[in-house]
Structures are given as structure tokens and as C-alpha cells.
């Protein structure tokens, strides 16, 4: 396509059209607080709701706009978030902890559903289910084996290649698995509602207030920001892929990876009904996974993945994403791109999220690209822990948060890894 972009193309998230970021806060910075939360995404806001409602003075600071990071840039897919299989977890940690971890994934899915209902959150929540496509025959066989070995009842079922048209209008997959209880949200509307709930509970939120240092004293923390110093009894680090060098310990354990998403121009209803008849969210088994879905109004497709060997600007990544989208759905060859954007995913070396505390600094992070439900859930759990409502946040407290030799926050291995995974996806599945 010679002219890929619409006349009103925006290099910003599609989600921001309906739910813009909050205006920059000009609120004064308190000098003392019971709980200081660094990061205003899903993790930080859910933690703040718990601590503020428990009667603790709660302050959230963010280096940028409130919600500027992945919480308003993601695809809005809600899953159980656990990437390793039960068998792999059992081999690493034993049967009991493996079961507990799998149960935490299901608990995160149940929590966000119940929270949205209880708090009357307006976020286009749809319990649409997810189709996970097998990009090769061997990947399909592995999906079947993994489903059979699962210890958690999910009601998931296999879709053969012969029956693929019931789920998708494409023949590129060798079948797949449907997880009927997975869901979708409008991520920016969801964040906007969380922000309102947190502030109504008494949370003080200050944007454009980057933290430059966290110092431990005998009984509290002294936190230096560009707008002043704060004394806090407890601190929660909720920065995920945007953590940077604020805490060297965490920087060595979280890998910031760029992910890219496009939104198409409006698609005729007949075409949408042909290619996505079930309205599910979608993903596949590639190491360099693609994730996509219809927009909440079923007029566009949001299509994301990692298509660049190095971080690039959204207008350069858009043609690559569009090429993959139209490879899967040739019916969309003439459809243009209205939005293209990028965000940072917080990945970990074991492909799992982690929570706990490092010498009194509480944290929840490392959602590995599946953070809508889990960031909400772990944010809530760590907020309860800080408020003294439970002893630990979750089973992830029992999982070692490991780094690797020679990794200090700059993922020098990313380019060769992406090249190797891309070759593997093409040749062996």
C-alpha cells in the first residue's frame, strides 16, 4: 500500500481518543506520608485504593502524566497471565507451589471481573474469551498436551484446523485453544476509573514528579523527587517496564522491552464478521507473539507485537505490523492505519511476575506483557500487605526473583534473541 496512513493518523494510543490522560497535576507535594507509591498505573492505583481505604495517608507520584505508561497503551486483553506451563512450574518449584501459582493466575482473572462489577467501572468490559492460535503443527500438539496437564479448571477447549473458521476468518493457524473466561477492557477507560476511585478514597496524586533517589533511614524512607523530598513510612515501587535506574536491585531483574500496536481505520461490518466472528481477544504461540482484537465497538482491529530489532518510532513499526496483519487476514489489504504507538513491557528472566520487598521496599512488577488482570490483582494484594491486612502479597513472594550475570538494566542481548526467536518461529515452530 503506497499510502498506509489515514489523513488523520495519530502516533498516539487509539485508547486516548475516548479517555485522554489526566491534565498535569499542579498539586503541592506533601513532606510526609504513610505510604508513597511510585508509579500511577494499574499496580499503583490498586495498591492505593487498599491503603487509602485502610485509613493510611497515601501519595502516588509519577515521572510523567498519570497513566502515561503501559496501563493506557496495552491491548486491553485480560487473561490469567501465567506463561510457564504447570509441568514447567512443577519441575522448578514442586507441585504445591506450582498449583499455588496457577491458582493465583485464575484469582487475578476473577478479581478484576468482581472489582469492575462491584465498583461500577465503565471500561467496556467484555467476557469474550481468548483464542490462542497455533502457528505450526508442533505448536498445536504442544497446546493440546499443555491443556491436558493443567491442574486448574479453565473450561478451555481445543479448536482443530478443520473448525478454525468458527473462530477466525484465516487459514494461517493449525488450530488453537479457546479460553472462554478471558476478557477484554478499554485500558484507558479502565485506568481513568481507577484513578477516580483512588482519589475519591483519599489518595493524593502528583504527576510530573520523577523520583531521583530512595534512601532508607532507621524507621522510614526519605524519597527525593524533582519537586521536593518526602518522608514515607512505607514505599511501593510500581513502575514495571518503566523502572529505570531508581532501584539497582530491581533494574537488574526487569527487562524493558518495546511492544508496538496499530489500530486500523474502520472496517466494514461484513468483513469484521467474517474475520472475527466471535469477538474474542487473540494471541498465538510464536515466541515473538502477536496479540490482537476488535475494538470495543467492532469497527477496527488493534494489532500488536514485537516487529523491530531495536526500539523505533511508531510510524516505522506500523508498516511491519500491517504486513503481519494482512498476512493473517488478506481481506484487510486495503485497510489503512489510523493510530500507531509503542510502550514498554516489563519482562523477567523466568517469564513470571514477582512481588515482595527488597529490604522494606515493596514491589510488584514483571508482568511479561500480560498485566491488565495481574497488575490489578497484585497491586491490590501488595496494598493489603502494606496496610497490614495480610502477611504476604501472594504465592509469588515464594518465587526467587533472579537476575543474570552481566545484566545491569540494558538488555544488550535483545537483538540477537529477537533474531533467534524469529528464525525459530519460521523454521521449527
Amino acid at each position: 500500500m503506497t499510502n498506509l496512513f489515514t489523513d488523520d493518523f495519530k502516533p498516539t494510543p487509539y485508547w486516548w481518543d475516548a479517555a485522554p490522560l489526566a491534565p498535569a497535576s499542579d498539586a503541592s507535594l506533601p513532606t510526609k506520608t504513610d505510604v508513597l507509591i511510585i508509579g500511577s498505573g494499574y499496580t499503583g492505583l490498586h495498591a492505593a485504593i487498599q491503603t487509602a481505604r485502610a485509613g493510611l495517608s497515601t501519595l502516588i507520584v509519577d515521572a510523567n502524566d498519570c497513566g502515561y505508561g503501559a496501563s493506557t497503551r496495552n491491548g486491553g486483553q485480560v487473561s490469567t497471565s501465567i506463561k510457564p506451563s504447570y509441568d514447567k512450574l512443577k519441575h522448578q518449584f514442586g507441585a504445591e507451589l506450582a498449583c499455588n501459582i496457577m491458582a493465583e493466575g485464575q484469582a487475578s482473572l476473577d478479581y478484576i471481573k468482581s472489582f469492575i462489577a462491584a465498583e461500577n467501572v465503565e471500561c467496556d468490559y467484555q467476557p469474550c474469551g481468548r483464542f490462542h492460535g497455533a502457528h505450526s503443527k508442533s505448536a498445536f500438539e504442544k497446546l493440546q498436551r499443555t491443556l491436558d496437564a493443567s491442574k486448574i479448571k479453565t473450561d478451555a477447549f481445543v479448536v482443530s484446523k478443520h473448525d478454525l473458521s468458527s473462530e477466525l476468518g484465516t487459514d494461517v493457524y493449525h488450530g488453537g485453544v479457546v479460553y472462554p473466561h478471558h476478557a477484554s477492557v478499554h485500558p484507558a477507560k479502565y485506568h481513568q476509573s481507577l484513578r477516580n476511585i483512588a482519589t475519591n478514597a483519599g489518595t493524593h496524586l502528583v504527576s510530573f514528579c520523577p523520583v531521583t533517589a530512595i534512601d532508607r533511614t532507621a524507621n522510614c524512607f526519605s524519597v527525593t523527587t524533582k519537586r521536593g523530598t518526602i518522608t514515607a513510612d512505607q514505599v511501593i515501587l510500581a513502575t514495571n517496564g518503566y523502572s529505570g535506574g531508581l532501584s539497582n536491585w530491581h533494574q537488574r531483574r526487569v527487562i524493558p522491552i518495546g511492544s508496538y500496536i496499530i489500530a486500523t481505520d474502520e472496517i466494514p461490518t461484513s468483513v469484521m464478521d467474517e474475520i472475527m466472528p466471535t469477538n474474542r481477544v487473540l494471541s498465538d504461540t510464536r515466541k515473538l507473539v502477536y496479540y490482537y482484537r476488535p475494538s470495543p465497538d467492532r469497527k477496527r482491529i488493534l494489532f500488536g507485537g514485537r516487529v523491530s530489532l531495536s526500539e523505533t518510532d511508531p510510524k516505522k513499526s506500523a508498516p511491519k505490523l500491517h504486513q503481519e496483519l494482512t498476512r493473517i487476514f488478506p481481506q484487510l489489504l486495503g485497510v489503512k492505519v489510523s493510530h500507531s504507538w509503542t510502550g514498554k513491557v516489563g519482562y523477567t528472566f523466568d517469564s513470571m511476575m514477582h512481588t515482595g520487598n527488597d529490604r522494606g521496599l515493596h514491589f510488584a512488577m514483571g508482568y511479561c506483557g500480560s498485566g491488565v488482570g495481574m497488575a490489578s490483582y497484585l497491586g491490590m494484594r501488595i496494598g493489603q500487605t502494606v496496610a497490614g491486612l495480610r502477611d504476604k502479597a501472594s504465592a509469588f513472594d515464594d518465587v526467587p526473583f533472579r537476575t543474570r550475570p552481566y545484566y545491569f538494566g540494558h538488555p544488550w542481548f535483545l537483538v540477537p534473541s529477537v533474531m533467534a526467536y524469529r528464525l525459530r518461529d519460521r523454521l521449527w515452530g
Side-chain angles (χ1 to χ4, degrees):
M1 185 185 298
T2 56
N3 185 13
L4 178 65
F5 301 103
T6 61
D7 291 340
D8 58 351
F9 168 80
K10 297 178 182 178
T12 53
Y14 164 76
W15 311 118
W16 291 1
D17 288 1
L21 296 177
S25 169
D26 58 359
S28 59
L29 193 70
T31 58
K32 189 179 187 312
T33 186
D34 293 331
V35 181
L36 173 63
I37 300 172
I38 305 170
S40 63
Y42 300 152
T43 303
L45 289 171
H46 271 279
I49 291 167
Q50 296 298 319
T51 57
R53 285 179 173 175
L56 300 175
S57 60
T58 301
L59 169 67
I60 296 178
V61 295
D62 199 287
N64 231 304
D65 285 297
C66 179
Y68 176 82
S71 289
T72 62
R73 295 172 179 269
N74 66 81
Q77 300 191 4
V78 188
S79 70
T80 54
S81 303
I82 309 298
K83 293 185 179 297
S85 67
Y86 169 79
D87 283 343
K88 185 173 183 180
L89 292 172
K90 180 181 176 182
H91 176 74
Q92 286 182 287
F93 308 116
E96 182 178 0
L97 183 52
C99 283
N100 290 342
I101 291 170
M102 297 297 287
E104 290 284 67
Q106 188 62 44
S108 73
L109 187 63
D110 295 340
Y111 169 71
I112 191 171
K113 178 181 179 180
S114 62
F115 178 87
I116 288 170
E119 302 286 347
N120 296 313
V121 175
E122 297 290 338
C123 62
D124 298 326
Y125 174 80
Q126 298 180 39
C128 53
R130 175 168 67 103
F131 177 78
H132 192 51
H135 76 287
S136 68
K137 185 178 179 181
S138 62
F140 179 69
E141 293 168 351
K142 183 178 180 181
L143 273 180
Q144 287 182 299
R145 292 194 303 271
T146 302
L147 191 62
D148 291 339
S150 175
K151 296 297 181 181
I152 300 295
K153 181 174 174 55
T154 62
D155 299 325
F157 58 89
V158 172
V159 177
S160 68
K161 186 173 179 64
H162 179 267
D163 296 324
L164 184 61
S165 60
S166 65
E167 292 291 334
L168 285 177
T170 180
D171 60 1
V172 302
Y173 294 119
H174 292 255
V177 170
V178 170
Y179 299 90
H181 302 302
H182 292 193
S184 66
V185 296
H186 187 299
K189 287 183 180 180
Y190 178 54
H191 182 272
Q192 191 175 72
S193 292
L194 290 179
R195 187 179 69 236
N196 292 336
I197 293 168
T199 53
N200 288 339
T203 300
H204 191 60
L205 202 154
V206 180
S207 57
F208 291 96
C209 183
V211 174
T212 57
I214 304 172
D215 297 308
R216 295 171 175 84
T217 64
N219 301 310
C220 62
F221 289 85
S222 178
V223 179
T224 305
T225 78
K226 289 289 183 69
R227 296 176 61 171
T229 300
I230 311 156
T231 299
D233 292 334
Q234 301 190 77
V235 176
I236 299 173
L237 192 62
T239 46
N240 199 34
Y242 294 79
S243 296
L246 185 57
S247 166
N248 291 334
W249 192 89
H250 293 90
Q251 187 179 32
R252 294 205 61 213
R253 286 159 174 79
V254 175
I255 310 162
I257 298 178
S259 191
Y260 307 88
I261 307 182
I262 56 171
T264 68
D265 199 5
E266 293 192 4
I267 297 169
T269 302
S270 59
V271 176
M272 183 66 81
D273 290 344
E274 175 191 349
I275 63 178
M276 294 185 177
T278 61
N279 208 43
R280 302 196 197 281
V281 295
L282 304 126
S283 56
D284 63 34
T285 54
R286 295 172 181 272
K287 280 290 187 180
L288 299 180
V289 63
Y290 295 120
Y291 53 95
Y292 48 105
R293 58 168 292 188
S295 58
D297 60 7
R298 283 185 61 79
K299 292 183 178 181
R300 305 168 189 260
I301 291 176
L302 291 301
F303 187 89
R306 182 169 182 83
V307 291
S308 176
L309 291 178
S310 60
E311 309 318 319
T312 185
D313 71 70
K315 208 158 188 179
K316 291 181 180 178
S317 58
K320 298 176 182 178
L321 286 170
H322 188 267
Q323 182 180 13
E324 287 302 302
L325 173 63
T326 55
R327 180 185 64 82
I328 298 171
F329 302 111
Q331 305 94 318
L332 301 177
L333 278 170
V335 176
K336 295 184 177 183
V337 172
S338 63
H339 300 72
S340 179
W341 68 97
T342 183
K344 291 181 182 178
V345 172
Y347 223 87
T348 61
F349 288 103
D350 59 5
S351 300
M352 283 205 299
M353 56 293 301
H354 291 267
T355 184
N357 74 83
D358 169 37
R359 294 173 293 156
L361 175 63
H362 297 270
F363 65 89
M365 57 181 57
Y367 304 115
C368 302
S370 299
V372 178
M374 190 57 77
S376 301
Y377 175 70
L378 288 185
M380 174 272 293
R381 296 291 294 264
I382 205 164
Q384 290 182 339
T385 300
V386 169
L389 302 176
R390 62 175 67 245
D391 294 332
K392 65 177 186 178
S394 78
F396 297 107
D397 280 2
D398 300 324
V399 179
F401 197 178
R402 295 192 172 98
T403 183
R404 292 290 187 274
Y406 308 112
Y407 178 65
F408 300 98
H410 174 67
W412 51 267
F413 45 79
L414 210 53
V415 170
S417 296
V418 169
M419 293 177 68
Y421 286 148
R422 185 171 293 171
L423 183 63
R424 176 179 171 178
D425 286 340
R426 288 176 180 172
L427 297 181
W428 299 289

